[in-house]
Amino acid sequence: MSDKNNKSKFITSKILKEAFIESFKKLHPKYMIKNPVMFVVEVGFIISLFLSFFPNFFGDEGNNLRIYNSIVSLILFITVLFANFAEAIAEGRGKAQAENLKKTRKDTLAKLIDDHGNIKVINALDLKKGDIVLVENGDIIPNDGEVIEGIASVDESAITGESAPVLKENGGDFASVTGGTKVVSDWLKIRITATPGESFLDKMIALVEGASRQKTPNEIALNTLLVSLTLIFLIVIVTLYPMANYSGVKIPISTLIALLVCLIPTTIGGLLSAIGIAGMDRVTRFNVIAMSGKAVEACGDVDTMILDKTGTITFGNRLASEFIPVGKSDMTSLIKYSVISSLKDDTPEGKSIVELGNEMGAKIDFKAYEKLNFIEFTAQTRMSGIDLSDGIMIRKGSYDAIKNRVKEMGGIIPKDLEAVVNKVSSLGGTPLVVCVNDRIYGVIYLKDTVKPGLVERFQRLREIGIKTIMCTGDNPLTAATIAREAGVDGFIAECKPEDKIEAIKKEQLEGKLVAMTGDGTNDAPALAQADVGLAMNSGTTAAKEAANMVDLDSDPTKILEVVEIGKQLLITRGALTTFSIANDVAKYFAIIPAIFTIAIPEMQIMNVMKLSTPYSAILSALIFNAIIIPLLIPIAMKGVKYKPMRSELMLLRNMLIFGVGGIVVPFIGIKIIDMLITPLVAVLNLG
């Protein structure tokens, strides 16, 4: 599931072929009963098919009624088939991803360490929870576990798609390993934490292929509404038949079935399951595993987002932000000596100093200093630098270390140095003092830098009504500075694990849904408390088990995109429901006049589309009702295009596009179909 896969074809020929076969398998009533709306359509198809052979069974009379019943039954069959096809395509994409994951699950052997320290090679399927195994260079990790000894690089590309190996070691937040990944250096002793068949990879496969998918609360509520509407219209149609007979209007049973199918919300009924499956599929293709459809849906309802500062909002490394000259030194000289002292400094701080210096116009030839003696930073000296060939010694380091060095060399400490150092420290930054021999030139301000683009993304979240809260262990002054730069709505300074839980509970007590990210064992309680908990795959087993989503790329900022995917799922479902109910209006104007016009000529005024004959009107509405389902499959699968905006504007936009469009499109579509089939109706001499 790499980036390459994320950009793969929307639907492949293999998926289409398998979906076509599955469409017929799903016709079994035992399966169809799970979708009551489409089950009613299938029952209507069976009755119409029966009447194709026995047209007078219910006492119906009419010219060529057998042909008419056959055409109605064929259209209804295609309608059910298209609905099954939509769901099968969504499932097919998930199964294709599952097959890729299954390739990583081989007949792996495990080196089991017994109580006496002896190694016994067994099949990985025979491992039990709590067993200790040894994995060495080239070995496949047999099952999920925690590193208890050793340090090694692990290739997780089979799971995450990332080619760079990840360092795993005992203790901390990088002790968790996943079955199916490969050790590419050194060795590890692992305590197995999952029984065979219940590993993280097994859960991923089951979830991705849809085997473990359950309907979400919103989906259940909408399904209940659709069933209620279906029952109401079913009662209407059943009572309409005797009432019509009493009024002297003879309505063929197939026509009543056609009216029922066009009245009930078959469009959304046929697409509802596909929308839910596609929502989980979009999250999975984004390299996030959702433990349930409810988790994805909850993302769309999130009101508050709790975010760690380090690694999520900031890079976590203190990078050069500013050069501050002191005494009589000038900016140009300070930048020059700062860059020279950092040319061979491979730390993130050193590289950032060179980068910032270059941005500010420093023109330093690296080759001129390539062979000179670089002084590395040590805990004892607390400084680093370089010795030039002409006896000039450039050093950068802590305030105390540089001050003492300059004093020992007989230099003078600039009067404004201490004030600059204190100011940088009070802002939560790290002051690096730069000196050349016995003269101090200034201070390099290192700070934990906010990741680029986050300000715009937080603004985007604010536009859709989501509040962001930053959690950090920094002091209040530093926290306030970072919060202001990042553009978050609030922050919790000097934050402890229990403070995160309290923050989540406080928001939830106000009726809000909360999302947060985490990777450590100390994050597990908060991840469990949050409505949406996104754990990092590189994190601990405890964090992954507590969360309801796992990010395979271990990118904490991904929670922002996941929330937008959840929003898109809800918007897509709402938009297609609006379209489905709206397009029924056009079907009413097509079928109802067609049914009653013969007995009640005044009903002709409702034939606003000027459809040719009653039979062509009914068949046109049925055909449109069938073909609109596959035409909407791409929208159901890809989702309605999402733009951050206020909820009322979003509602207005979707009502205009899918509400008005749901009325206009069927009017045009039914009229075109009527024009196309009118010659056929005439040839068959229907009506």
Side-chain angles (χ1 to χ4, degrees):
M1 292 187 299
S2 61
D3 290 339
K4 184 179 178 180
N5 287 333
N6 287 337
K7 296 175 183 177
S8 61
K9 288 183 179 180
F10 170 55
I11 298 174
T12 64
S13 57
K14 182 181 178 182
I15 291 175
L16 282 174
K17 182 180 178 181
E18 291 178 354
F20 180 74
I21 296 170
E22 282 295 314
S23 300
F24 287 90
K25 291 181 180 179
K26 290 176 182 289
L27 290 172
H28 195 291
K30 185 178 179 180
Y31 181 85
M32 291 299 300
I33 195 70
K34 296 177 183 177
N35 187 341
V37 176
M38 299 315 299
F39 179 69
V40 168
V41 180
E42 186 173 51
V43 172
F45 153 68
I46 294 170
I47 296 173
S48 298
L49 184 63
F50 175 79
L51 292 174
S52 300
F53 296 98
F54 307 100
N56 305 119
F57 185 83
F58 292 106
D60 291 342
E61 295 179 5
N63 186 33
N64 290 335
L65 201 58
R66 187 190 303 273
I67 297 174
Y68 172 66
N69 291 341
S70 299
I71 295 173
V72 169
S73 63
L74 176 63
I75 298 171
L76 294 180
F77 176 73
I78 292 172
T79 303
V80 177
L81 209 61
F82 280 159
N84 290 347
F85 185 69
E87 185 174 7
I89 281 183
E91 290 176 346
R93 277 161 59 85
K95 287 176 181 177
Q97 288 181 322
E99 287 302 316
N100 289 334
L101 291 172
K102 285 177 181 177
K103 291 176 184 177
T104 68
R105 197 170 55 179
K106 304 173 183 177
D107 294 329
T108 309
L109 297 177
K111 298 172 183 175
L112 178 66
I113 303 175
D114 61 23
D115 296 336
H116 304 290
N118 300 316
I119 296 177
K120 180 183 178 182
V121 179
I122 64 171
N123 193 299
L125 296 175
D126 297 328
L127 287 173
K128 301 185 297 297
K129 193 173 181 178
D131 284 345
I132 307 296
V133 297
L134 173 70
V135 286
E136 299 174 293
N137 188 6
D139 290 347
I140 301 293
I141 295 175
N143 208 336
D144 295 357
E146 295 274 358
V147 177
I148 59 173
E149 188 178 338
I151 180 170
S153 294
V154 177
D155 178 5
E156 296 185 330
S157 59
I159 304 290
T160 66
E162 295 297 326
S163 57
V166 180
L167 195 67
K168 298 288 183 178
E169 60 183 322
N170 178 31
D173 294 340
F174 297 94
S176 172
V177 291
T178 305
T181 56
K182 185 178 181 180
V183 177
V184 292
S185 76
D186 303 294
W187 58 272
L188 296 170
K189 280 186 182 179
I190 299 168
R191 178 182 291 109
I192 301 300
T193 58
T195 54
E198 297 180 5
S199 69
F200 181 61
L201 185 58
D202 291 312
K203 291 176 183 176
M204 284 170 60
I205 292 170
L207 288 163
V208 169
E209 64 185 1
S212 297
R213 181 182 178 270
Q214 295 180 338
K215 289 185 178 179
T216 63
N218 282 349
E219 198 173 345
I220 291 171
L222 181 55
N223 203 53
T224 303
L225 173 64
L226 298 183
V227 171
S228 301
L229 289 173
T230 302
L231 287 174
I232 290 169
F233 287 123
L234 185 59
I235 294 170
V236 169
I237 297 301
V238 170
T239 55
L240 180 63
Y241 186 70
M243 289 173 63
N245 281 342
Y246 181 78
S247 303
V249 179
K250 194 67 177 176
I251 305 176
I253 295 297
S254 290
T255 297
L256 287 174
I257 292 172
L259 176 60
L260 174 63
V261 169
C262 288
L263 285 174
I264 64 177
T266 50
T267 306
I268 188 61
L271 293 171
L272 185 59
S273 184
I275 293 169
I277 295 170
M280 287 192 69
D281 175 65
R282 281 196 295 275
V283 172
T284 305
R285 289 168 68 81
F286 203 61
N287 260 14
V288 173
I289 296 298
M291 298 307 176
S292 69
K294 184 179 179 181
V296 181
E297 195 171 87
C299 289
D301 288 326
V302 163
D303 302 294
T304 304
M305 198 178 295
I306 308 288
L307 300 160
D308 276 327
K309 185 204 77 170
T310 306
T312 302
I313 293 175
T314 64
F315 284 103
N317 295 316
R318 295 182 181 272
L319 307 178
S321 172
E322 187 180 353
F323 296 106
I324 308 171
V326 295
K328 297 181 180 180
S329 301
D330 61 278
M331 179 68 77
T332 303
S333 298
L334 173 60
I335 295 173
K336 173 186 173 183
Y337 291 126
S338 297
V339 172
I340 293 173
S341 68
S342 305
L343 287 175
K344 291 189 174 183
D345 186 348
D346 289 330
T347 64
E349 293 85 353
K351 291 178 180 178
S352 70
I353 292 170
V354 175
E355 186 176 335
L356 181 62
N358 289 337
E359 288 177 4
M360 297 183 68
K363 304 293 182 182
I364 307 296
D365 183 10
F366 176 77
K367 293 181 180 179
Y369 303 92
E370 194 171 8
K371 296 181 180 179
L372 296 178
N373 184 35
F374 174 69
I375 312 300
E376 292 189 6
F377 177 89
T378 66
Q380 290 76 28
T381 62
R382 293 186 297 156
M383 68 178 77
S384 64
I386 193 169
D387 292 338
L388 305 184
S389 56
D390 55 2
I392 294 176
M393 296 177 289
I394 308 172
R395 296 291 185 272
K396 66 178 191 294
S398 70
Y399 168 61
D400 291 336
I402 297 296
K403 183 176 71 170
N404 292 335
R405 175 183 173 83
V406 169
K407 281 184 176 179
E408 288 173 4
M409 297 180 71
I412 299 173
I413 307 300
K415 294 180 180 180
D416 57 344
L417 176 62
E418 187 173 358
V420 171
V421 168
N422 289 338
K423 182 181 178 182
V424 171
S425 299
S426 68
L427 293 173
T430 300
L432 277 186
V433 181
V434 179
C435 71
V436 179
N437 292 337
D438 61 351
R439 179 182 173 184
I440 294 175
Y441 276 77
V443 174
I444 305 171
Y445 176 12
L446 300 180
K447 71 172 184 177
D448 199 354
T449 308
V450 173
K451 291 182 177 180
L454 281 187
V455 175
E456 292 78 11
R457 291 164 82 179
F458 286 139
Q459 177 60 31
R460 215 162 65 201
L461 292 174
R462 197 173 294 112
E463 288 173 358
I464 57 178
I466 295 177
K467 180 170 73 173
T468 50
I469 299 175
M470 180 187 76
C471 293
T472 175
D474 291 333
N475 62 63
L477 184 59
T478 303
T481 302
I482 296 293
R484 186 171 56 253
E485 289 182 15
V488 293
D489 299 310
F491 65 89
I492 303 172
E494 298 174 346
C495 183
K496 300 181 288 295
E498 52 268 29
D499 294 332
K500 292 181 183 179
I501 299 176
E502 288 303 315
I504 293 170
K505 287 181 177 178
K506 180 183 176 183
E507 294 293 322
Q508 289 173 333
L509 285 173
E510 296 176 6
K512 297 176 180 177
L513 264 66
V514 183
M516 79 156 285
T517 62
D519 58 3
T521 301
N522 62 348
D523 291 324
L527 287 168
Q529 180 67 39
D531 299 284
V532 177
L534 178 65
M536 303 297 103
N537 187 46
S538 62
T540 62
T541 301
K544 287 191 279 188
E545 288 180 350
N548 50 20
M549 303 183 98
V550 177
D551 175 23
L552 301 179
D553 296 330
S554 300
D555 177 7
T557 63
K558 199 178 284 186
I559 187 70
L560 305 175
E561 281 84 358
V562 170
V563 165
E564 291 190 348
I565 290 174
K567 289 279 185 190
Q568 187 185 40
L569 168 64
L570 296 181
I571 291 168
T572 301
R573 186 182 295 150
L576 291 183
T577 300
T578 303
F579 184 90
S580 175
I581 294 173
N583 73 29
D584 288 341
V585 174
K587 299 170 199 171
Y588 305 157
F589 280 97
I591 290 187
I592 293 176
I595 292 175
F596 295 102
T597 296
I598 297 174
I600 310 172
E602 290 80 6
M603 290 289 289
Q604 183 63 30
I605 197 171
M606 289 184 63
N607 186 15
V608 294
M609 286 182 274
K610 306 299 179 185
L611 302 178
S612 304
T613 68
Y615 282 103
S616 71
I618 293 166
L619 294 178
S620 296
L622 266 185
I623 292 170
F624 177 84
N625 191 65
I627 64 175
I628 196 63
I629 294 175
L631 291 178
L632 291 175
I633 288 177
I635 296 178
M637 296 292 292
K638 289 184 178 179
V640 174
K641 190 174 182 181
Y642 169 73
K643 290 183 179 180
M645 62 180 70
R646 295 199 310 275
S647 55
E648 53 269 29
L649 289 177
M650 194 179 299
L651 177 63
L652 178 63
R653 174 178 175 269
N654 287 335
M655 286 297 291
L656 286 173
I657 295 174
F658 293 94
V660 176
I663 294 174
V664 173
V665 171
F667 270 94
I668 297 172
I670 290 172
K671 179 61 179 177
I672 292 173
I673 294 170
D674 178 74
M675 293 168 64
L676 293 173
I677 69 169
T678 295
L680 177 63
V681 171
V683 169
L684 296 174
N685 195 27
L686 295 176

